[in-house]
Amino acid sequence: MKRLVTVGVDGSPESRAAAVWGAREASLREVSLRLVHVIDWPGGPAVPRLGRETADRWADEALAEALEDVRRQYPHLEKTTRHLSGRPAAALAVEAADADLLVLGSRGLGSLVAYLVGSVGMATLVATETPVVLVRVADEPGDAEPTRYDEMIVGVDIHEAPDNVLAFAFEEAIRRDCALRVIHGWKVPPAYRGLPFIDSDGEREVDRSVARMLDELLLPWRHGFPSVSVNQKAFKGSASRRLVQAAAGADLVVGGRHLRRSPLGAHLGPVTHAVLHHASAPVAVSAHA
């Protein structure tokens, strides 16, 4: 059984926020915490200029700072640190293999922090089947971690809602003893737009049908997790926009990504992609077939 939360740290404010968030999650799960720093060696653009000794010192300082942040808020949590060399995405994927969760810092709006920039950050996300959480910096420095939780958000596609994404969302809601809001957006297929039977009455009927399908999808989960308060909404429009708006007051937003890979990389999907880049709350991405 996996009994670990792993956090990638690099000394940035975003990664320090991720370390504290990961510690909170480890505490909720009653598991240990592992803080990992990876030097991109050999071949990283910064390391040759700095020298290995300086890079090692920076790595040790990044781990020490993150560890001190965690110790202040979670003094009794079991925690370890690891200082590795290699390609960050590959190294973090290996470190995540025996973990329940991999946590990373994120600036949002298109880039992950420091060594997790651009394609490297996306490679880290898609290189592991372990759920990954991206964490923003708190609005105010030194903000305390919440002692109570209000609501989590999960976006679902009623046509292919994978069990592991919903299982992750419901289990996290149980841990936090918070409500779970389930969001599904639908659109009229382009081929049917403008046809006479797709009028306002037709759209209302489609809306009712989609709402019934969402209710049927969630029924076994409501029975399996009766203590979770579930609020569901199916609507016509952009699911990504509604998820980003809802994230402003959420403890966590949960989305999925396909495991299948193509020459252009793993498939995130437009909704998960938008939420990753624009949501203000932490975003969890759970892989599925």
Side-chain angles (χ1 to χ4, degrees), residues 177-201:
D177 189 23
C178 70
L180 180 63
R181 194 192 320 180
V182 183
I183 292 176
H184 171 75
W186 64 271
K187 297 179 180 179
V188 176
Y192 292 94
R193 292 171 190 167
L195 294 180
F197 59 85
I198 305 297
D199 54 12
S200 58
D201 289 337

Side-chain angles (χ1 to χ4, degrees), residues 193-214:
R193 292 171 190 167
L195 294 180
F197 59 85
I198 305 297
D199 54 12
S200 58
D201 289 337
E203 287 190 2
R204 281 193 290 271
E205 179 56 36
V206 172
D207 192 62
R208 287 191 290 268
S209 176
V210 171
R212 287 194 296 269
M213 293 173 67
L214 181 59

Side-chain angles (χ1 to χ4, degrees), residues 29-286:
R29 291 170 178 258
E30 299 182 336
V31 302
S32 61
L33 179 74
R34 179 194 293 162
L35 303 177
V36 180
H37 181 96
V38 185
I39 294 178
D40 194 351
W41 184 276
V47 173
R49 293 197 301 270
L50 296 174
R52 182 57 184 264
E53 184 176 343
T54 301
D56 285 343
R57 185 171 67 252
W58 281 17
D60 291 339
E61 290 174 356
L63 287 169
E65 290 173 350
L67 187 60
E68 182 58 29
D69 291 342
V70 170
R71 281 174 175 161
R72 280 198 300 269
Q73 298 193 45
Y74 300 92
H76 303 299
L77 182 67
E78 180 182 347
K79 37 204 171 288
T80 59
T81 62
R82 297 200 67 180
H83 172 186
L84 305 174
S85 297
R87 298 302 187 189
L92 286 169
V94 170
E95 290 298 307
D98 64 344
D100 294 302
L101 203 62
L102 173 63
V103 185
L104 305 173
S106 173
R107 288 195 183 112
L109 299 178
S111 63
L112 305 184
V113 300
Y115 62 77
L116 300 174
V117 174
S119 61
V120 175
M122 195 59 66
T124 304
L125 176 65
V126 302
T128 177
E129 296 184 18
T130 299
V132 179
V133 177
L134 301 182
V135 178
R136 310 284 191 252
V137 176
D139 291 336
E140 296 294 336
D143 277 357
E145 290 296 301
T147 55
R148 64 182 299 273
Y149 314 97
D150 295 318
E151 184 179 56
M152 282 177 46
I153 313 293
V154 59
V156 299
D157 182 341
I158 59 173
H159 303 294
E160 60 169 28
D163 286 349
N164 57 334
V165 175
L166 285 170
F168 182 92
F170 274 87
E171 288 166 3
E172 287 296 305
I174 283 284
R175 290 188 184 100
R176 290 164 169 76
D177 189 23
C178 70
L180 180 63
R181 194 192 320 180
V182 183
I183 292 176
H184 171 75
W186 64 271
K187 297 179 180 179
V188 176
Y192 292 94
R193 292 171 190 167
L195 294 180
F197 59 85
I198 305 297
D199 54 12
S200 58
D201 289 337
E203 287 190 2
R204 281 193 290 271
E205 179 56 36
V206 172
D207 192 62
R208 287 191 290 268
S209 176
V210 171
R212 287 194 296 269
M213 293 173 67
L214 181 59
D215 192 55
E216 292 170 1
L217 172 70
L218 294 176
L219 186 59
W221 295 95
R222 287 177 178 273
H223 289 164
F225 296 84
S227 64
V228 176
S229 174
V230 180
N231 304 307
Q232 63 196 68
K233 179 64 177 178
F235 62 92
K236 180 186 176 184
S238 169
S240 55
R241 178 179 299 178
R242 187 68 64 93
L243 284 166
V244 169
Q245 291 171 346
D251 182 59
L252 182 66
V253 180
V254 180
R257 73 165 181 87
H258 287 285
L259 279 172
R260 66 175 182 266
R261 289 174 170 81
S262 71
L264 298 178
H267 179 58
L268 278 178
V271 174
T272 297
H273 188 272
V275 173
L276 279 172
H277 287 76
H278 298 285
S280 57
V283 179
V285 181
S286 180

